[in-house]
Amino acid sequence: MKIYRFRDGDRVRVGVGESERIWRYTGDDAFNLGTIDDARPLPLAEARLLAPVTPGKIVAVGRNYAEHAKELGNEAPSEPIIFLKPPSALLAPGGTIIRPEVSQRVDFEGELAVVISQRAKNIRRASWRNFVLGFTCANDVTARDIQRKDVQFTRGKSFDTFLPLGPCIETELDPSALSLRTRVNGETKQDGNTRDMVFPVDFIIEFVTAVMTLEPGDVILTGTPAGVGPLVAGDVVEVEIEGIGALRNDVA
Ligand code: MG
């Protein structure tokens, strides 16, 4: 099932997608869908989409594809490197990524995002699926020059609009071998597959929940494959993951 969240008149709605249409539901978030509300589906192309969840926190994994670690001059890590992005960085599908004046180098990073379904602490790998609502596409937009300059990742990863998320949550998906492509102005820049993660989704969930409690709606970004590169004003960047769809944003 594909769960969308969107603006409909003056209210926020959720709906379920089916072949380029969205069926409106009575609920107002992905955890409270309610029931079908309207006999007329909304064409997906006309929907004013929002990020499919509003996470309390976003945990990201760095250098989780060996080829990407290498392209930035790093070794693949021996255990996951995790950092946080703030909810204030969230950006809707179709929203505009704003490059901050303090950075000369803003990069895209296409990533598979995991949406947590229920409170999760000290989860064992084998039971990971009970704690995941589904998956969506993310762009872990990064001010690379600032990330390199600062010891912490926080500033370079946290500017407003640096977390496009969507277009929907796919609730029935095996994340172990999904193709992941990032295109800029239609040209493929990243052509990866989730099977190449250094640490797979189940391992990451065990690792992160050994540190912190995850709540429903929290999001984990699972790292980006090789091929990251810069965004400039006027670009259109798309992250497309097999079985989910494409997350498209422009850049200013
Ligand atoms: Mg990343």
Side-chain angles (χ1 to χ4, degrees):
M1 180 168 67
K2 286 184 166 61
I3 302 174
Y4 289 88
R5 191 167 153 268
F6 55 99
R7 201 170 289 286
D8 191 24
D10 55 5
R11 65 171 283 199
V12 171
R13 276 188 181 263
V14 283
V16 173
E18 185 192 54
S19 58
E20 303 303 310
R21 298 177 303 179
I22 300 175
W23 296 92
R24 296 174 178 88
Y25 274 58
T26 53
D28 56 10
D29 74 47
F31 300 95
N32 169 35
L33 282 180
T35 54
I36 286 193
D37 192 25
D38 196 321
R40 295 164 302 126
L42 175 69
L44 179 56
E46 292 173 19
R48 290 182 291 158
L49 296 180
L50 299 169
V53 280
T54 53
K57 58 185 172 297
I58 300 99
V59 184
V61 182
R63 300 174 198 159
N64 198 30
Y65 290 77
E67 289 299 314
H68 167 65
K70 202 190 291 178
E71 74 181 343
L72 294 183
N74 299 301
E75 297 282 319
S78 58
E79 57 180 10
I81 297 169
I82 61 172
F83 58 93
L84 294 166
K85 284 173 85 89
S88 48
L90 267 185
L91 183 66
T96 302
I97 297 165
I98 309 288
R99 294 158 59 253
E101 279 183 22
V102 292
S103 174
Q104 307 311 311
R105 172 70 189 239
V106 172
D107 280 5
F108 57 84
E109 294 188 359
E111 307 201 5
L112 176 72
V114 180
V115 180
I116 297 298
S117 60
Q118 59 170 315
R119 178 169 288 186
K121 176 66 179 172
N122 293 327
I123 304 309
R124 307 308 303 255
R125 292 181 75 163
S127 63
W128 73 274
R129 196 64 185 83
N130 300 328
F131 298 87
V132 171
L133 177 64
F135 300 89
T136 189
C137 308
N139 192 338
D140 176 18
V141 181
T142 303
R144 192 72 68 201
D145 49 352
I146 289 176
Q147 183 194 24
R148 287 216 170 93
K149 186 160 62 174
D150 292 359
V151 176
Q152 299 281 337
F153 284 13
T154 306
R155 186 167 63 125
K157 296 279 192 179
S158 298
F159 289 94
D160 289 359
T161 74
F162 272 26
L163 182 51
L165 195 70
C168 63
I169 300 168
E170 172 54 68
T171 60
E172 290 142 67
L173 198 61
D174 173 354
S176 61
L178 301 173
S179 96
L180 188 168
R181 289 196 180 85
T182 306
R183 291 182 292 269
V184 178
N185 305 327
E187 186 184 334
T188 300
K189 300 289 188 179
Q190 293 185 289
D191 187 1
N193 192 293
T194 60
R195 78 167 81 86
D196 296 322
M197 286 183 187
V198 178
F199 304 104
V201 168
D202 58 346
F203 187 98
I204 292 169
I205 289 173
E206 179 172 304
F207 185 85
V208 171
T209 65
V211 178
M212 66 185 90
T213 302
L214 297 177
E215 300 287 353
D218 284 352
V219 166
I220 301 175
L221 309 186
T222 55
T224 198
V228 300
L231 294 170
V232 298
D235 282 348
V236 174
V237 58
E238 283 174 292
V239 178
E240 182 165 19
I241 299 176
E242 183 182 357
I244 300 173
L247 168 67
R248 181 185 168 102
N249 295 90
D250 57 5
V251 181

